[in-house]
Amino acid sequence: MCYRKLQPLSDKQLEQIEQLVSFPIPADYRSFLQQLGFGSINELLMVEEPDPYFIRNNFADYMDFWQWENDEEEQALNGLTIARSIDGDIVAIIDNISTPFLMLPRHAESPLKFPDLSSVLSFYERQYDFVDNLYFDPYFEWEQKNISVGRDMIMNLQIIRQIHEGFLEKYQPDKVLNAATQPKYIMRKIGGWVYFDCLSGSSIRVKYQTSVKERAVEIMNYINGLLEQALTNPTK
């Protein structure tokens, strides 16, 4: 699932990426960028502008963090970093026809190899228990606002529940993720989402695309109105 407005890469941009390394770029990665562009997947895997120097510049002296076989270490050093995870994993493309995708896990001793991009995504789908709830969050035209609720956790949770209920009475999101804990409501009309921190009650985040900012502002104004009412009467 993706949002309202994307910025796919042009043929010229894709050619520039291909020229960054001396080995072939996998067709499925090229297709991904051609259809979606750069962005994050569930805010956990960030697909960023490729960097042929990231691993060498940051880990050349620390490659013994991982256990290597044959010439894999040199392949990694010469790889093209294409994504990073929120946990610190690094995903790169390397000069290997059978397994061109290499992951340097932040919390494991051995690198992981994958035959295609879909296998990389399936790995994270299992690891984070997405259960077919993958969504793509483009970096194109995006802004994010944080609405702070307060510092008293017990009162915050009462207030955020009240705001949450009021939000759902007025709006019908297209999709919800993590409904039981920290619900994130996907809303195509703002090209983004509304997130409620129902664990600590500290804040509400709204992410939107600037081309539809007025719609996002309408929602944020409504939430701020609910917040003002809840602060006045938090035990509704």
Side-chain angles (χ1 to χ4, degrees), residues 16-39:
Q16 291 173 340
I17 290 174
E18 291 173 333
Q19 292 171 4
L20 292 174
V21 290
S22 60
F23 49 86
I25 298 298
D28 58 347
Y29 171 66
R30 194 181 197 281
S31 178
F32 181 96
L33 297 181
Q34 200 168 30
Q35 294 179 45
L36 302 175
F38 300 120

Side-chain angles (χ1 to χ4, degrees), residues 209-221:
Q209 291 186 308
T210 54
S211 58
V212 286
K213 183 174 182 176
E214 69 282 356
R215 296 179 179 177
V217 169
E218 172 195 315
I219 292 172
M220 288 187 286
N221 286 341

Side-chain angles (χ1 to χ4, degrees), residues 148-170:
S148 178
V149 176
R151 297 184 177 181
D152 185 324
M153 183 174 176
I154 295 176
M155 181 174 287
N156 286 359
L157 291 172
Q158 295 174 345
I159 290 172
I160 211 163
R161 279 196 292 268
Q162 189 171 329
I163 297 171
H164 188 200
E165 291 171 3
F167 170 81
L168 292 177
E169 286 175 3
K170 183 173 177 65

Side-chain angles (χ1 to χ4, degrees), residues 1 3-4 40-43 135-138 142-146 167 173-177 182-197 203-209 212 216 219-220 223:
M1 178 177 184
Y3 288 160
R4 183 175 184 273
S40 72
I41 297 173
N42 291 51
E43 286 195 293
Y135 71 94
F136 180 72
D137 207 347
W142 72 273
E143 290 186 6
Q144 182 172 302
K145 300 294 184 183
N146 187 70
F167 170 81
D174 298 292
K175 188 179 182 69
V176 59
L177 304 174
Q182 292 177 305
K184 178 182 288 184
Y185 295 100
I186 311 299
M187 303 183 72
R188 289 183 182 275
K189 73 176 185 177
I190 65 171
W193 41 256
V194 180
Y195 163 91
F196 291 85
D197 181 1
S203 66
I204 300 164
R205 287 188 287 146
V206 181
K207 184 176 181 181
Y208 56 90
Q209 291 186 308
V212 286
I219 292 172
M220 288 187 286
I223 289 174

Side-chain angles (χ1 to χ4, degrees), residues 26 28-29 32 45 82 91 101 114-122:
D28 58 347
Y29 171 66
F32 181 96
L45 184 65
I82 61 168
V91 180
F101 292 90
F114 302 90
D116 47 46
L117 184 59
S118 62
S119 298
V120 177
L121 300 183
S122 294

